[in-house]
Amino acid sequence: MTATVVVTAVLAGSAACGTVENLSAGQKLDRAFDKLGAERSLSFELDLDADAKTLRALDADAAPGEEMPEKVAELFSGATISLSVQSKKPLAESGEKDFTGVAMKVSSPEGDLLEYRVVGDYTYLRADVATLSGAMGTPAPPADELPEEAGALKKILEGEWVKVATKDLQQSAVKPGEPSAAPTLDATTQNKMVKALRGVIAREVEFKTAGEADGTEHVTATAPFRTLITGLFDGIRPLAKELPAGIEFPADKDFKDAPNVKVAADFALKNGALTEVSVDVAKLAENPKVKKLALVLRMSKGEKATAPAGATEVKLDELLESVVGSAAGGAAL
């Protein structure tokens, strides 16, 4: 919800800008996000537009032996995170109970690395543990070498689907004495936050429209990073008492070392609908070897989350016991 508020503020705030250029761009983005909010299902795909060499260059100042391993850099550079959601209501009006399906997947050129789906009363999970652990330099033991106590853990190490009752996962996330549900922003506070941020966006962000090709138009948003991030926090700090407990605000001094270079975001609109957002963050690295580094988010019609066939049902406490038992068995060896 907080991310939605910030994005909404960025778009709505642009309409308050003083130039005709900004006003036109802001209106186009507002309409594009209105279309997204009217959908009942959406898919998002996030990846890094950077090669492994660039990612390792970001870690050039690391102490000897602590540099980013080449396998990890290759994994991150080629990885893609996909998320698909479905709701009974338009997404802009949906609360947690309205969602009927959620699916998330982390993929690489070699295949899917991690995946989970929430369908009905169950959460389904599977992982390519061998690839993930190998890239991190801590190879997992072969499934056939695990002790009998491993149980469901063997299924996971073999890359098979397992399913856990979603209510059990939710209950396990609640600590004694804490509320059963995560606190959220009420509508009044959300509106106050949006209003507070609009002025910051209007002052600091410059919006422009670019050329159109093959039915796709681009709107760019540019702002000095330190000035923008400091202004955004200053804008919502007066609302601190109305926000959920536990949210801490950084002080202005915490941003003094942040680069104040201009960062640009490119919004791609196809027939008026938002299809891609690319944020160029190469300048934030302040490293001459980093020429191309961007976060790219793509949006499309959501795919329905389905329950995978053949998933093994496991109890959460049994799964935790199998992990502990496997560790104890390995230690005994």
Side-chain angles (χ1 to χ4, degrees), residues 124-332:
Y124 300 81
L125 310 101
R126 71 172 176 180
D128 183 349
V129 179
T131 299
L132 288 170
S133 59
M136 300 302 173
T138 55
D144 56 5
E145 294 182 8
L146 289 177
E148 185 177 346
E149 293 82 0
L153 182 59
K154 296 183 70 172
K155 296 286 186 181
I156 296 176
L157 291 178
E158 291 170 346
E160 297 185 21
W161 281 102
V162 299
K163 65 178 183 180
V164 181
T166 302
K167 65 178 182 180
D168 292 344
L169 290 174
Q170 294 171 338
Q171 291 173 355
S172 70
V174 179
K175 298 179 181 179
E178 290 186 352
S180 58
T184 58
L185 295 176
D186 58 62
T188 300
T189 303
Q190 288 187 40
N191 290 332
K192 288 182 180 179
M193 182 177 288
V194 170
K195 184 177 180 180
L197 295 180
R198 279 181 176 176
V200 179
I201 301 301
R203 291 194 306 270
E204 307 298 346
V205 181
E206 179 183 5
F207 290 84
K208 290 184 178 180
T209 55
E212 182 175 334
D214 299 325
T216 298
E217 184 178 16
H218 290 265
V219 174
T220 60
T222 307
F225 178 74
R226 189 197 317 138
T227 301
L228 178 61
I229 197 69
T230 301
L232 290 174
F233 276 103
D234 286 346
I236 60 176
R237 190 172 281 112
L239 300 174
K241 293 183 179 179
E242 300 180 43
L243 300 179
I247 295 180
E248 297 182 4
F249 288 88
D252 288 348
K253 64 180 182 180
D254 295 325
F255 299 118
K256 66 178 182 179
D257 294 328
N260 207 35
V261 295
K262 287 190 174 182
V263 175
D266 179 270
F267 299 83
L269 310 178
K270 189 172 182 64
N271 299 322
L274 184 62
T275 58
E276 181 176 301
V277 182
S278 178
V279 183
D280 183 1
V281 293
K283 292 182 180 178
L284 294 181
E286 297 186 306
N287 186 326
K289 294 183 179 180
V290 178
K291 303 295 184 183
K292 186 177 183 182
L293 179 61
L295 293 170
V296 182
L297 178 67
R298 301 178 183 87
M299 285 139 286
S300 61
K301 184 71 175 179
E303 298 180 2
K304 185 178 180 179
T306 58
T312 300
E313 182 174 358
V314 298
K315 299 295 185 181
L316 184 60
D317 55 352
E318 293 176 358
L319 179 59
L320 294 175
E321 287 177 5
S322 70
V323 173
V324 174
S326 174

Side-chain angles (χ1 to χ4, degrees), residues 34-41 87-95 98-99:
D34 284 343
K35 286 187 176 183
L36 287 183
E39 296 286 349
R40 294 174 184 263
S41 65
S87 175
K88 294 179 291 186
K89 297 180 180 180
L91 294 176
E93 304 171 9
S94 296
D98 298 315
F99 290 99

